[in-house]
């Protein structure tokens, strides 16, 4: 434990705050090498000013361990003002302390193994339907289609909406809402933030309508909302409608934005590495997959799991996580002052050469039993974060990736069309600049 006096005598991390007011926000949002450039200059811990907050950027497995083991003592959950406002005051992602612990306990009910197994048949059906739809155009820009598919999966399996016009309407307003999450928080009719705020109101109206409808139903429905409506805390109290609205919004957001990005990376990386597709097909033959999955079969597909992990390592959908410093502390001989923000970095952790040799290379075998590179250091593989705030939907996410991956590889061929920009846009989640243009066909 460092005394207050010793703390105050420590230097602040190196780095600059950039311009008055906007700080270094524009480069942070637009420059994919923002962090690499500063890390080369200042090291693994440096200061900056982004999204209206003085922020310490920390990187590496030691930094992750420090942050995850001090969540709720030195740090509390926060997000930049724009994200916080759009998520709402009663969202798990912005709750902290005892409130967070008790709400999290209710939310995890929807992601326990029994619940997860119940999502499998519906997920397979929807996946099959979308894959068949994509056969007809032959050539397509895949990212927006993957987003619609993922939104359909999230809204029908998490909150039980009927697929069709209801989902299409929600998906459209969700897109504008998402675009405001990491924007400059200026609420004007033409700014990204202003438009996103109006979409939040529309989304909450829609969710409230749905909640009232569901409350009238007498039979339990096997979706995440069914579990949330039934969940009770230690005193026997359920979630109020006001809180449910924010929590459902969070699930819909977390449940489709990150997954669209990882599905897209999966499709891109496999198109660039056909030998991986061949190995996946061999594994499918070995476990006897012919068109319908069981949870047991998925458990046996260990190479598929390696491939998915490598996709999430190389292109993590969430680049990092914000915390507010609630008590000044010391890390790596620097002072981290109360009131600032800290951003831990998943992206950088996954490129650490002391854990992953040739970190830029796509190599699923690094997760094989005889290599297990991710186990070199604790908190060295953190696509889903860690500690008290580790992703609640991790098992759901892995199920979607496994189901989609299996059906796609089993029945389809796809190749990248020439002359497209595959460089990644990184905010809010990574996706290829031209949206991933492919030729798509059913295997003969
Ligand atoms: C939190 C990643 C899918 C729900 C997180 C965090 C990460 C993450 C890194 C921690 C952020 C932090 O430390 O502040 C991912 C990735 C996904 C994914 C990479 C897909 C590949 C999902 C899905 C759901 C979900 C499908 C729900 C259906 C949540 C929730 C939290 C969270 C509710 C907040 C947990 C808390 O604060 O206690 N996710 N996620 N995520 N995730 Fe996910």
């Amino acid at each position: 434990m460092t005394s207050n006096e010793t703390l105050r005598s420590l230097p602040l991390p190196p780095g600059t705050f950039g311009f008055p007011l906007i700080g270094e926000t524009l480069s942070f949002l637009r420059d994919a090498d923002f962090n690499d450039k500063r890390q080369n200059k200042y090291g693994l811990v440096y200061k900056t000013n982004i999204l209206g907050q003085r922020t310490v950027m920390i990187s590496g497995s030691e930094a992750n361990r420090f942050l995850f083991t001090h969540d709720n003592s030195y740090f509390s959950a926060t997000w930049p003002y724009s994200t916080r406002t759009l998520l709402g005051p009663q969202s798990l992602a912005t709750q902290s302390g005892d409130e967070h612990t008790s709400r999290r306990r209710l939310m995890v009910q929807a992601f326990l193994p029994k619940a997860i197994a119940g999502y499998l048949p519906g997920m397979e059906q929807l996946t099959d339907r979308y894959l068949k739809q994509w056969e007809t155009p032959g050539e397509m820009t895949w990212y927006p289609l993957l987003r619609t598919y993922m939104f359909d999966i999230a809204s029908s399996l998490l909150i039980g909406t009927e697929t069709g016009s209801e989902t299409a309407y929600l998906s459209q307003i969700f897109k504008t809402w998402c675009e405001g999450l990491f924007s400059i928080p200026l609420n004007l009719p033409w700014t990204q933030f202003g438009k996103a705020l109006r979409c939040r109101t529309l989304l909450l109206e829609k969710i409230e309508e749905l909640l009232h409808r569901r409350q009238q139903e007498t039979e339990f429905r096997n979706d995440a909302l069914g579990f949330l409506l039934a969940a009770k805390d230690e005193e026997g109290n359920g979630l109020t409608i006001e809180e449910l609205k924010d929590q459902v919004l969070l699930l819909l957001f977390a449940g489709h934005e990150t997954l669209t990005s990882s599905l897209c990376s999966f499709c891109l990386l496999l198109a660039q590495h056909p030998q991986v597709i061949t190995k996946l097909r061999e594994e499918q033959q070995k476990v006897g997959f012919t068109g319908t999955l069981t949870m047991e079969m998925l458990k046996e597909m260990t190479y598929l799991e390696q491939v998915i992990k490598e996709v999430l390592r190389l292109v993590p959908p969430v680049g990092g996580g914000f915390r507010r410093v609630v008590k000044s502390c010391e890390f790596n001989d620097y002072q981290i002052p109360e009131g600032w923000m800290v951003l831990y970095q998943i992206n950088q952790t996954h490129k650490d050469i002391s854990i992953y040799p040739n970190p830029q290379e796509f190599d699923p075998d690094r997760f094989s039993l005889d290599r297990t590179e991710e186990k070199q250091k604790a908190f060295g593989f953190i696509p889903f974060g860690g500690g008290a705030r580790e992703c609640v939907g991790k098992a759901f996410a892995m199920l979607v990736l496994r189901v989609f991956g299996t059906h796609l590889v089993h029945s389809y061929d796809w190749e990248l069309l020439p002359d497209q920009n595959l460089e990644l846009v990184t905010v809010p989640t990574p996706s290829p600049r031209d949206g991933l243009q492919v030729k798509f066909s059913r295997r003969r």
Side-chain angles (χ1 to χ4, degrees), residues 26-214:
L26 293 180
S27 354
F28 172 71
L29 294 177
R30 289 180 189 162
D31 182 0
D33 298 325
F34 177 90
N35 192 66
D36 283 347
K37 286 179 192 158
R38 282 157 187 79
Q39 214 166 277
N40 288 342
K41 197 161 164 193
Y42 304 121
L44 289 173
V45 185
Y46 65 86
K47 65 174 183 288
T48 176
N49 184 346
I50 48 170
L51 302 157
Q53 295 276 334
R54 293 190 167 197
T55 303
V56 178
M57 311 287 262
I58 57 171
S59 190
S61 55
E62 266 314 305
N64 302 334
R65 180 206 298 275
F66 177 71
L67 185 129
F68 294 145
T69 49
H70 292 101
D71 245 338
N72 286 336
S73 56
Y74 294 150
F75 307 112
S76 113
T78 194
W79 285 91
Y81 180 82
S82 52
T83 324
R84 236 170 32 231
T85 313
L86 289 168
L87 284 172
Q90 305 208 54
S91 172
L92 188 72
T94 52
Q95 289 169 324
S96 50
D98 292 344
E99 186 184 31
H100 173 255
T101 315
S102 88
R103 273 22 206 168
R104 197 178 152 99
R105 219 172 277 147
L106 300 187
M107 305 266 290
V108 293
Q109 305 288 323
F111 302 104
L112 296 176
K114 195 165 154 252
I116 292 291
Y119 301 142
L120 177 60
M123 205 178 273
E124 277 202 288
Q125 246 176 38
L126 261 179
T127 305
D128 194 46
R129 190 188 314 160
Y130 273 85
L131 286 168
K132 281 200 178 112
Q133 264 176 34
W134 299 333
E135 282 173 31
T136 316
E139 288 188 2
M140 60 190 176
T141 301
W142 215 347
Y143 185 82
L145 303 176
L146 286 167
R147 172 185 269 277
T148 311
Y149 156 68
M150 223 20 262
F151 193 79
D152 213 350
I153 289 265
S155 50
S156 55
L157 296 180
L158 296 174
I159 62 169
T161 58
E162 300 297 329
T163 61
S165 61
E166 187 169 41
T167 322
Y169 171 70
L170 275 176
S171 167
Q172 197 47 45
I173 42 182
F174 228 98
K175 188 165 174 287
T176 314
W177 177 85
C178 282
E179 283 161 3
L181 284 173
F182 296 96
S183 60
I184 294 171
L186 258 182
N187 181 10
L188 294 167
W190 60 88
T191 58
Q192 267 185 335
F193 183 64
K195 288 182 200 160
L197 268 179
R198 282 190 299 288
C199 285
R200 174 175 154 84
T201 311
L202 292 174
L203 284 168
L204 291 184
E205 277 170 18
K206 220 47 210 151
I207 293 172
E208 185 166 354
E209 216 179 281
L210 177 91
L211 288 173
H212 285 306
R213 234 187 295 152
R214 289 291 293 267

